[in-house]
Amino acid sequence: MKKSTKNIINIVLIALMFVVLYVLEQQFGRRSMLVTVLKKGAIYALIAVSMNLLNGFTGLFSLGQAGFMLVGAYTYAVLTIPMAKRMAVYQYYDGGIINFTVPTIVGIIAAGLLAAVLAWLIGMPVLRLKSDYLAIATLGFAEIIRAIIQWDTLGPITNGSNLLKTYPTFKSVIPVFIAATICIAIIVFLINSTYGRAFKAIRDDEIAAEAMGINLFHHKQMAFVISSFFAGIGGALLAMYQGSLQANAFKSSMTYEILLIVVIGGMGSISGSVMASFLFIACSEWWLRFLDTEMMLFGGTFKVPFLRSGFRMVVFSIVIMIVVLFFRKGIMGEKELWDLYKPRKNKKVEGNKA
């Protein structure tokens, strides 16, 4: 298939996706559980793909994603709260010290940029570590960032441990998908470029990659900064989804959720991360929610055992264990959805000549 034809098909499929989203939103309503799952699933898909760029394609085991999401979320919220409402939000800090408001798009881009700058600063000492040491260091930095944001001295900027609210949010699912689609498309183009091939070479064999002339530290830092940039944008979108913001929500468990999505989808698969994100959100937020409610059968004479608050997460954990056991490389492994439709070349087997 020619490249131009393939690009046209991709554009048509994306346009069709937005038409379907619009129809679903009109049919079920913006507050329906289906639309809610689609919104949060798209945000988690972007964050999972950004983490997969670092962990799956470059081979760097980082656990600092929640920290960069937190930076992006707070950057967006702080910069976009309307001036007329700042006094009510920063009521303990006399309205704060930020005396301007930026448009929504500028706030989202600023969220990614500040997360990227912070990743560049952190990456200089941290990326010289390897394996578990890198994971521990990035996890520690994420916890430090969360503590600093809640520091009362920075209260005039971050509002301390108090809520940030009244910043612009989205009501429709369409803007979320537009932002997530653009960001994921950029990551796909990057992975298919020469830089992406360098990332994969570092993942497969650092010694061989260095022997080929690849600057290991430069490319590791580039992957770390780009991943953090999109994690910051994902954090801004998550803040818009939640409607209010507090640093305590961005704990290490959030990073583990994203890492779990990447593992289930397949380390080194963009489409796998996207699929796993929607499956994860649908199972945890919707399909298994009935397990948290007590159920009576036979006219109230028999109470179904185990069904109570929290049982949903027990069943969800078992489902994840089953998936990991039977799909050790994830749902997609290192393949993409479009790889499944590539025609197989017929191999001619020549018989031995007598």
Side-chain angles (χ1 to χ4, degrees), residues 6 10 45 48-49 52-53 56-57 184-185 187-192 200 203 262 265-276 329-342:
K6 185 178 179 180
N10 290 335
V49 169
N52 207 346
L53 171 66
F57 288 95
I184 293 174
I187 295 175
V188 171
F189 289 141
L190 175 66
I191 290 172
N192 293 326
K200 294 176 185 177
R203 175 196 63 189
V262 173
M267 301 284 284
S269 174
I270 299 296
S271 52
S273 295
V274 173
M275 293 167 57
K329 291 186 177 180
I331 297 174
M332 296 297 296
E334 294 184 1
K335 297 181 180 179
E336 303 292 351
L337 277 177
W338 45 87
D339 293 335
L340 303 178
Y341 297 96
K342 289 183 179 179

Side-chain angles (χ1 to χ4, degrees), residues 63-64 66-68 70-71 118 122 125-126 136-151 154 158 247 250-252:
L63 293 178
F68 298 113
L70 176 60
V71 171
L118 186 62
I122 293 175
V126 166
I136 294 171
T138 51
L139 180 62
F141 272 113
E143 291 299 313
I144 291 171
I145 290 170
R146 186 163 64 89
I148 290 175
I149 285 180
Q150 297 181 92
W151 189 23
L154 292 179
T158 64
F250 293 80
K251 296 182 179 179
S252 57

